[in-house]
Amino acid sequence: MNRRKFIKVCRALGIIIPLQPFLNACTNKQIFQNDSTKPVIIIGAGAAGLVAGYLLKQQGICIKILEASSNYGGRMKRTSDFSNFPIPLGAEWIHAEPKILDEIVNDDSVDVDIDTLMYDPENDYALYEGEKISIKEMEMSEDSKFVNSTWFDFFEQYIAPSIEKHIVYSSKVKSIDYSTDEVIVETHDSTHYASRVIVTAPIKILQQREINFTPELPKLKQDAIDKVKVWGGFKAFIEFSDKFYPALIGFNVNPPEHGEKLYYDAAYGQNTTHHILGLFAVGAASIPYVDLQEDEIIKYILDELDALFDGKASTYYVKHIIQNWNTEPHIFGAYVRNNEDWRQIKKLGESTNERLFFAGDAYTDGQDWGSVHAAVYSAKRAVKDILKS
Ligand SMILES: Cc1cc2nc3c(=O)[nH]c(=O)nc-3n(C[C@H](O)[C@H](O)[C@H](O)COP(=O)(O)OP(=O)(O)OC[C@H]3O[C@@H](n4cnc5c(N)ncnc54)[C@H](O)[C@@H]3O)c2cc1C
């Protein structure tokens, strides 16, 4: 007898039944071999955690997402307070085909209505010390930019609504015991029981041993976690009263595998009359900014722009906002460096046993990492593995 029939029969017999246990019950549809009714617990509500939760929910699997901070989105953080269009403080460009947005939604009945645009390789040239550099050389020719939207806005509109009620905020996971069929997950003030767990906390969190695993993670995996180098990261947005800069201004980082730096027109293609210049710096290129106080940072930035643009930066300066990813709680960095050994990355993405899975921009199959789409694909893979387990 199913739940509905049972309730009908009880009603007909005049039996009063408490509804709460049913409302809380999982509908795992006997997907797991041990037929566990416990939810799949996902650690972290960034791109990977949200997509994993969304896809599992689409399969009728009961989920719970434990998020250390008070917001979802992780490194897709955005602010709507700085200008009249949303500003992406972390992930900004779509480093994949824009159809990735439909792929994420994974539902033909949903029309994904998000505008994107690409750069113009003929005109949107970049300058470095007065030299012209083509966009192709900067590896930006395939990238798209959101129009008056961001990665966060996309997730807010299409992914979060169906799963937001399953996110438990301010729940920093401290330990995961996956030694028995029922996985035990502990935060500072609560204990949760799961059929399966997907860890999506950034790799820095595991490097810093902020989550204690029982049994310990396999040595090969722990070694890979400890070996990979996470780049520091910094972004700034500066409003000017006039526009004096091109769409992209690339900088050479020496050697190139030590980081990336780019000034860019953040208002490019947006429906706005505001002039906002963005600064993106990761790895060695971020060091001059992350180590300074805020008033020193803006002075440093205006000085370097004044040198490039004949003092126009300080003349037209209006206001700024900065985001230091090295000090962002529960994140502590940008992403794993571009030139990391793919074999180490592959080890990060492997599941540990049939109960403990990993997803996120670093926990991939080793072919790609450090981006929202890489986090998304890793989440899809973890969900597929869970459905097989
Ligand atoms: C400066 C910068 C620029 C970038 N630009 C781009 C770009 O243009 N395009 C692009 O595609 N990508 C970009 N990226 C990379 C992209 O932001 C990330 O790859 C992606 O957002 C990572 O998603 P994730 O879910 O793997 O991790 P995260 O977004 O980091 O999510 C992990 C979540 O886990 C939570 N957490 C941590 N510890 C715990 C714990 N113990 N318990 C519970 N929760 C925990 C965190 O609070 C966080 O919400 C950029 C990143 C940075 C920093």
Side-chain angles (χ1 to χ4, degrees):
M1 187 185 298
N2 67 23
R3 177 170 69 93
R4 274 212 189 119
K5 267 195 190 153
F6 176 70
I7 294 170
K8 248 186 177 175
V9 172
C10 288
R11 282 213 186 111
L13 296 173
I15 302 167
I16 298 166
I17 45 157
L19 269 177
Q20 203 51 34
F22 288 120
L23 293 178
N24 288 336
C26 286
T27 53
N28 281 351
K29 288 189 184 162
Q30 299 181 337
I31 275 170
F32 304 132
Q33 272 165 21
N34 66 359
D35 196 18
S36 173
T37 54
K38 296 283 182 293
V40 173
I41 290 187
I42 298 158
I43 319 289
L50 292 172
V51 169
Y54 176 84
L55 294 176
L56 287 165
K57 183 99 193 302
Q58 276 187 337
Q59 297 293 324
I61 294 183
C62 188
I63 57 155
K64 189 188 272 186
I65 305 181
L66 300 176
E67 167 54 49
S69 73
S70 53
N71 296 299
Y72 64 78
R75 278 170 278 165
M76 296 189 295
K77 189 174 176 182
R78 148 220 81 183
T79 176
S80 302
D81 298 333
F82 186 70
S83 195
N84 60 355
F85 65 98
I87 298 283
L89 296 168
E92 179 158 355
W93 292 276
I94 306 174
H95 300 308
E97 294 280 322
K99 70 174 189 308
I100 179 83
L101 304 180
D102 294 289
E103 260 184 69
I104 298 171
V105 172
N106 192 37
D107 182 346
D108 291 341
S109 69
V110 176
D111 178 24
V112 178
D113 185 17
I114 296 267
D115 277 349
T116 61
L117 86 164
M118 292 179 90
Y119 290 99
D120 171 2
E122 300 304 319
N123 296 311
D124 296 333
Y125 59 86
L127 293 177
Y128 171 65
E129 288 176 354
E131 230 180 290
K132 225 178 178 183
I133 302 172
S134 80
I135 292 171
K136 282 193 184 114
E137 278 174 62
M138 293 178 66
E139 295 176 1
M140 302 278 304
S141 55
E142 303 297 318
D143 292 349
S144 303
K145 204 169 150 53
F146 288 92
V147 178
N148 284 66
S149 186
T150 62
W151 271 114
F152 183 93
D153 291 278
F154 163 74
F155 272 78
E156 184 179 47
Q157 192 175 345
Y158 293 99
I159 306 301
S162 68
I163 52 170
E164 206 179 347
K165 64 172 187 268
H166 301 290
I167 306 177
V168 190
Y169 292 106
S170 306
S171 296
K172 182 177 167 182
V173 169
K174 292 200 172 307
S175 70
I176 300 171
D177 181 342
Y178 64 105
S179 57
T180 61
D181 266 1
E182 194 167 74
V183 187
I184 304 167
V185 179
E186 291 198 89
T187 70
H188 69 288
D189 62 355
S190 57
T191 304
H192 306 259
Y193 300 93
S195 54
R196 306 281 187 277
V197 165
I198 308 180
V199 176
T200 77
I203 199 80
K204 260 276 173 217
I205 300 298
L206 301 194
Q207 289 181 336
Q208 291 171 182
R209 304 291 194 275
E210 291 193 32
I211 300 177
N212 185 48
F213 292 89
T214 307
E216 282 180 9
L217 293 177
K219 187 168 179 328
L220 277 178
K221 191 173 187 86
Q222 190 62 57
D223 285 351
I225 289 170
D226 294 335
K227 262 186 205 156
V228 296
K229 165 102 180 116
V230 179
W231 271 343
F234 177 85
K235 276 182 101 173
F237 293 86
I238 311 118
E239 178 165 357
F240 295 102
S241 54
D242 206 351
K243 183 168 175 278
F244 53 87
Y245 41 81
L248 298 156
I249 312 155
F251 286 75
N252 286 326
V253 177
N254 265 325
E257 59 270 20
H258 282 193
E260 287 176 0
K261 174 171 161 177
L262 183 72
Y263 277 106
Y264 60 97
D265 179 4
Y268 181 90
Q270 312 297 303
N271 302 320
T272 183
T273 51
H274 292 208
H275 307 298
I276 315 277
L277 185 71
L279 165 61
F280 160 86
V282 289
S286 68
I287 292 169
Y289 310 99
V290 292
D291 287 346
L292 295 174
Q293 299 298 313
E294 187 160 346
D295 53 340
E296 294 169 323
I297 293 173
I298 191 60
K299 184 176 177 322
Y300 187 96
I301 289 174
L302 292 178
D303 282 353
E304 78 180 345
L305 289 170
D306 278 343
L308 278 175
F309 298 104
D310 298 330
K312 291 192 176 109
S314 26
T315 310
Y316 298 134
Y317 170 80
V318 177
K319 63 175 179 171
H320 72 274
I321 183 172
I322 58 166
Q323 171 70 38
N324 180 352
W325 283 98
N326 297 13
T327 52
E328 182 71 10
H330 318 301
I331 307 266
F332 304 119
Y335 44 82
V336 173
R337 63 179 170 179
N338 291 349
N339 59 315
E340 191 53 74
D341 182 345
W342 64 270
R343 284 161 296 209
Q344 299 297 339
I345 305 278
K346 196 164 182 285
K347 282 182 206 141
L348 299 179
E350 286 164 4
S351 58
T352 298
N353 64 8
E354 298 220 319
R355 294 181 288 280
L356 184 60
F357 299 81
F358 292 82
D361 72 335
Y363 311 95
T364 73
D365 58 7
Q367 295 189 26
D368 196 3
W369 59 89
S371 64
V372 175
H373 71 268
V376 164
Y377 286 132
S378 73
K380 282 179 130 186
R381 193 212 50 225
V383 167
K384 209 167 143 203
D385 289 349
I386 282 186
L387 294 177
K388 280 194 298 199
S389 66

